Each structure stands twice: as structure tokens, then as C-alpha cells.
Amino acid sequence: DEREPGSPEPRPPDAPAGGPAEVGRGEASVAGVVAAGVALGVGELVCGIAGSGPSLVSAVGTQFIDRYAASLKDLAVSLFGTNDKVALVVGIVAIALALGAVLGRASIRRPWVGVVGFVAFAALGLFSYLDDPLGDASTGVVAAVLSAAAGIGTLLVLLRLARLGGGATSENGPTDRAGSRRTFLLGAGAIAVLGAGAAMLGRRLRTTDVVDRARADTVLPPPASAAPALSGGTGAIPDIVGLSPYITPNDDFYRIDTALVVPQVDVTGWSLGFTGMVDNPFTITYQELVSMSDFEDVVTMQCVSNEVGGNLVGNASWQGVPLATLLDRAGVQQGATQIVGRSVDGFTAGFPTEIGLDGRTALVAIAMNGEPLPATHGFPARLIVAGLYGYVSATKWLDSIELTTWDDFDGYWITRGWSKEGPIKTAARIDVPSSGSLVDPGIRAIAGVAWSPTAGISKVEVQVDDGTWTEATLGEVTSGNTWVQWYVEWEATSGGHRIRARATDADGNLQTEQPHSPPPDGATGWPTRTVRVR
Ligand SMILES: Nc1nc2c(c(=O)[nH]1)N[C@H]1C(S)=C(S)[C@@H](COP(=O)(O)O)O[C@H]1N2
Ligand SMILES: [Mo]
């Protein structure tokens, strides 16, 4: 029997010769899946050819993030790291292909259902795309139209191919039917390969050269208020394998944002605007911003979603222009109690004007660890405010900085349930030994980092099992804005052990012992490690 497994009805043996034969449900499903794949592939290709903006699929993903990020937050999912994004895109593609199968089957007798389905598909993509601040309307229309046309065309061609196979049955006998079946599968396979190829080509074509070139051409001015040279210097800290370096290299710096497609900002058409409650609204070009960027400081930044012991924290040297200098030029009006950073991708984050101007390090940064900001970390410019979680302060891919009142505006994550104020909480992290590790007995290092920007850390203590708390040796820091490396030596004895650490800030406040998950304003609790000694 040549029937697709699962196909409920056998073909009537007396189908009229040359008449329209029934297409099997299996074949129709295959046709629908392939057609959906081709539609997605063509959409990717058109958007890839058009440049570096979003695609129809990524725009749908962005809609999803913007609409459902709040509920994901309740599930304690972190604020969109790399894995969440891959899962989201895979999910969207899987759903689209599954819907394609449904459309294919529905089109066996009523091909118009498939046509309408693909038009609706494309319309969903187009509406999402037009809503994306980085989308370009004409690209979206062309992508949607061609995507729908390709999907419909593929579906109709494959259904016809399947039907010819069926129609051949009574004319030429069952052997020929098997041959036609093969023809259908070959055709479907070939078209599927073309669709996948189009998708891959489209993704490869998304150009990043504009940003690559602009970064390469940027000459950073020598910082006037150079951060004390402490790039790798750790002072009292010996080399300990597994201990975080004082400065986190750019490639290792955590990345968190809602952008499914990294914004590639062309600086030739870009400027940073200062708007809202200011006397002299103005815009500044990339060149001017770079030429003014003689301020540099090492600042630890953390994501509010970081769990105790987690990796969503890093320490980098940031170079740029103090916010105070730029806001001075803008002339902040009385009552402008909130500074809002707006990104080219629509993201927003706001913090009190008081904090931005209280003398702490708060800057429009254009460089990170001595090189122009990587695209993933906000090229061409981002905000960095020492002591605040990224979600209320560190807007990447800055488009404008707006002065408003505290009550008049809520940033992206505030409207999704996170606390409006986001001071970073005092925290310690144990890097060594790693959790669950097996170590040899003898003198071993227990080491990690601790931070409490802007105050800084005065003390880190370590406890093994229920022993006394031992004060750790601290490394050197450039200021209280950064984390500090710490370590203690431990005489490891055979058996299982529990290690805990706790930090005290420079004002004498011990970090909170009570464990709490990140929502709504950051995790608390003393980090714990369990290890086995041989
Ligand atoms: N445009 C934009 N800026 C953003 C975000 C974002 O989603 N979009 N996320 C913020 C959050 S939640 C954090 S923790 C920091 C992370 O910066 P990084 O990716 O450079 O580490 O960026 C902030 N700036
Ligand atoms: Mo974050």
C-alpha cells in the first residue's frame, strides 16, 4: 500500500480516469509544510537583501517579546539572554510549519483556504514588521507580498503534483502511481531545499559591515581622567584558575536585551537627541560625541535578573561623555525629575535625574575596554550609570535622552512589573571552587568577586560548613564603582563541605542573607557552594 501512514481513507479504486483525484492528507501536509518553509525563506531573503534590519519572522518574535515578556518574567525567566532568543525563533518557525501542514490539508478540496491562509500569514508578518522601529515599510511590503506569493505558488504546485500522481492511478496502474509519488516527494524536497537555502542566504546577507567599518574608523581620544591603570592588575590576588578577571573582556561580557536582531546603526545617519524638559534641545553627531569622549571609568554592571551566584554581571572600563556635561548644554528644566534613555529599537529605561547628576559616574559611553562599543553592547552609544541595574539605566543603541517627570513615564521593564527604582544590591559570588566540584585535599583557594556600586566593598567573609567566618583578602579596585576580587586559603579535608560567602559594603552594611529571587528588584541571599574533597 502506497498510502501515507496515518491517512484515514484508502483512495477509491474507481477514481475517474483523468478527473481530479483526491490528494492524500500526508502529501497535502508535506505540501503545506514546504510552502510555509518557502514563504519564510523568501521573507528572510528579501529582508536580508534589503540590509541589516529585522525580518518578518524576527518582527513577529519582537511582538511576542513585547507582549508576553511580562508573563515570562513571572516565570522568572531572565530578561532575554541568547538562549531565550534561539528558543523563541525556533518556536515561531515550528509553529509556522505546523500551521502550514494544517493549511495544506485544508486546501485538498478548497485551495482558496491555503491562499487565504498564506495571505493572513504574510499580513501578520507585515503588521509586526511595520510596528518594529527598525523596519523599513517598503522592504516589509515587498517581503510580505513575495513571501505570500511564494507560499501560495509552492502550495498549489505541490498539490497539483500530488494530484497528478493520484490521477495516474486508474490510467496506468499502481506502479506508475508509485513513480508519481516519488516525483511528488522529489519536487517537494527540491523546493524545500531552495526555501532553506533562501533563508540561510538571507541571514548571511544581513550586513554588519556598516558597523564594522565605523568601529574600525573610530579614533578614541586619550581619556583625560584616565581610569587608574588596573586592566589586569589585581594587587594582592594571586593567579587563581577559575577566578573572574578584574576586567571582563568584551567577548565574555554578558549580553541581555530584547533585540532579536542586533541593531546595526549606521552612524552617518545617526545622532543623539536631547529632548523633553530642556531649555535647549539639541542633537549631537557620532563624531562630535567621540571627540568629546575623554572621560573613562571602570564600572560594574549587573542585570536585575541575575540570580545569586549568576553570570549576568561584568566589570568593564567605559569611555564617553559625562551625562552632566551634555545635560548642562541641554539646560535641564525645573521639575524634570526623570532621565529616560530611548533606543533606536524602541527600548526605554529611566532613572531619577538626581542620580544622573549627583556626581557619580553617569555617562554616554562610546567605548568599552578601549574599543568602540561592540554592536551587541550598544554601538554607537549607550548609557552607563554606576550603581543602577541595566534595566533602569543602561540603554544601548541610544537614539535620544529625554527629560521628563518621574510620574509621567515608565520604562520598558517597569510597565512589565519590575521595580521602578533599581539600585544594585550588595552581592558576593563564589567562583572557585565551582559548584559540585571534586577537589584534592590540602591548601585550596576559595575565591570570587563582590560588588556594591557605588559604595564599594569593605569586607568579604567566607564560612566553611558551620565554622567561623574568615575575612578574605581583597584585590585592588579603581573605585567603589567596581567589583573586587577576593580569596581565602582553605585547608580542605576529605568529605563534603558547604562554603558560603557574604560581603559588606563600604558603609558597613552586610549583604542581605534572606534568599529572594530576582523579581521585582533583584535577588538577595548569601552565595553557597557544595564541594567534595577526595
Ligand atoms: N536598547 C536596549 N538597551 C538595553 C536593554 C535592552 O533590552 N534594549 N537591556 C538592558 C538590560 S536589562 C541590561 S542588564 C543591560 C545589559 O547590557 P549588556 O548587554 O551590554 O551587558 O542593557 C540594558 N540596555
Ligand atoms: Mo537586565
Side-chain angles (χ1 to χ4, degrees):
D1 190 352
E2 294 296 331
R3 244 181 344 116
E4 182 72 20
S7 172
E9 305 149 44
R11 183 178 307 285
D14 54 347
E22 190 79 339
V23 176
R25 288 162 60 86
E27 286 168 331
S29 302
V30 170
V33 169
V34 171
V38 166
L40 295 179
V42 166
E44 290 299 305
L45 183 59
V46 172
C47 294
I49 290 171
S52 57
S55 71
L56 299 180
V57 169
S58 75
V60 169
T62 300
Q63 283 287 332
F64 185 89
I65 292 175
D66 289 351
R67 281 162 202 265
Y68 300 113
S71 14
L72 294 178
K73 173 225 91 172
D74 290 336
L75 300 172
V77 171
S78 74
L79 306 189
F80 288 95
T82 322
N83 295 336
D84 309 314
K85 286 173 185 160
V86 173
L88 179 59
V89 170
V90 168
I92 289 171
V93 171
I95 288 172
L97 297 180
L99 285 176
V102 173
L103 280 182
R105 284 206 295 273
S107 304
I108 295 175
R109 284 158 196 252
R110 293 176 299 268
W112 62 266
V113 173
V115 174
V116 169
F118 275 97
V119 169
F121 243 168
L124 174 72
L126 179 58
F127 284 124
S128 305
Y129 186 95
L130 293 177
D131 207 32
D132 192 315
L134 293 173
D136 153 71
S138 46
T139 301
V141 171
V142 172
V145 168
L146 292 183
S147 166
I152 291 167
T154 303
L155 181 65
L156 297 183
V157 163
L158 287 179
L159 285 179
R160 191 177 154 73
L161 214 56
R163 198 163 286 130
L164 288 179
T169 313
S170 47
E171 272 173 29
N172 306 333
T175 14
D176 217 56
R177 206 184 140 219
S180 302
R181 185 111 221 277
R182 211 169 298 128
T183 311
F184 168 79
L185 288 178
L186 278 176
I191 297 175
V193 168
L194 282 180
M200 284 187 313
L201 181 61
R203 306 219 76 175
R204 281 205 47 178
L205 282 176
R206 281 197 73 252
T207 45
T208 59
D209 1 328
V210 182
V211 167
D212 295 345
R213 234 176 300 121
R215 291 182 72 236
D217 290 348
T218 300
V219 181
L220 300 175
S225 53
L230 242 190
S231 38
T234 54
I237 304 289
D239 267 341
I240 297 171
V241 177
L243 171 62
S244 304
Y246 178 62
I247 296 284
T248 312
N250 290 356
D251 287 345
D252 298 340
F253 207 96
Y254 80 93
R255 175 189 163 201
I256 287 289
D257 52 62
T258 59
L260 266 185
V261 169
V262 177
Q264 304 286 330
V265 178
D266 181 355
V267 286
T268 54
W270 178 88
S271 65
L272 173 60
F274 285 80
T275 64
M277 296 173 67
V278 293
D279 290 333
N280 319 301
F282 71 98
T283 60
I284 186 168
T285 64
Y286 180 62
Q287 274 322 316
E288 196 184 348
L289 202 55
V290 169
S291 67
M292 288 174 70
S293 290
D294 63 357
F295 180 86
E296 187 179 33
D297 194 22
V298 181
V299 176
T300 291
M301 191 172 58
Q302 192 203 317
C303 183
V304 68
S305 289
N306 195 40
E307 304 277 353
V308 172
N311 288 323
L312 302 181
V313 56
N315 188 49
S317 176
W318 307 95
Q319 183 175 347
V321 185
L323 202 46
T325 307
L326 295 162
L327 290 185
D328 220 36
R329 179 155 150 196
V332 176
Q333 291 173 358
Q334 277 286 323
T337 44
Q338 184 174 199
I339 300 173
V340 175
R342 292 181 177 275
S343 165
V344 297
D345 72 348
F347 175 88
T348 53
F351 51 93
T353 306
E354 226 172 37
I355 286 186
L357 296 178
D358 71 0
R360 75 179 65 206
T361 292
L363 70 155
V364 173
I366 53 118
M368 177 179 189
N369 292 332
E371 53 173 279
L373 289 176
T376 45
H377 295 291
F379 181 87
R382 74 175 306 168
L383 277 162
I384 291 291
V385 182
L388 297 185
Y389 288 123
Y391 82 107
V392 290
S393 65
T395 305
K396 304 194 272 192
W397 312 296
L398 270 177
D399 174 64
S400 64
I401 291 176
E402 182 189 340
L403 273 290
T404 180
T405 69
W406 186 251
D407 291 333
D408 271 353
F409 185 79
D410 287 332
Y412 188 95
W413 287 110
I414 314 313
T415 58
R416 290 161 174 81
W418 292 80
S419 162
K420 186 150 183 173
E421 272 165 295
I424 294 180
K425 293 175 175 169
T426 304
R429 185 177 75 195
I430 302 169
D431 290 343
V432 180
S434 55
S435 197
S437 60
L438 185 62
V439 304
D440 287 325
I443 303 290
R444 297 281 156 252
I446 299 173
V449 286
W451 60 94
S452 182
T454 56
I457 295 293
S458 62
K459 185 165 75 174
V460 175
E461 297 160 291
V462 177
Q463 182 196 48
V464 178
D465 301 325
D466 291 314
T468 53
W469 287 91
T470 309
E471 207 170 320
T473 302
L474 303 184
E476 285 174 13
V477 294
T478 55
S479 81
N481 291 336
T482 86
W483 68 19
V484 61
Q485 295 171 300
W486 56 262
Y487 87 107
V488 297
E489 276 177 355
W490 165 50
E491 169 92 65
T493 55
S494 285
H497 298 283
R498 181 196 66 176
I499 301 168
R500 294 200 293 170
R502 63 184 189 192
T504 301
D505 74 10
D507 300 327
N509 305 307
L510 178 64
Q511 84 175 84
T512 307
E513 176 177 9
Q514 181 64 35
H516 198 290
S517 62
D521 62 356
T524 57
W526 294 347
T528 304
R529 282 267 191 266
T530 49
V531 293
R532 283 206 66 78
V533 180
R534 272 180 245 268

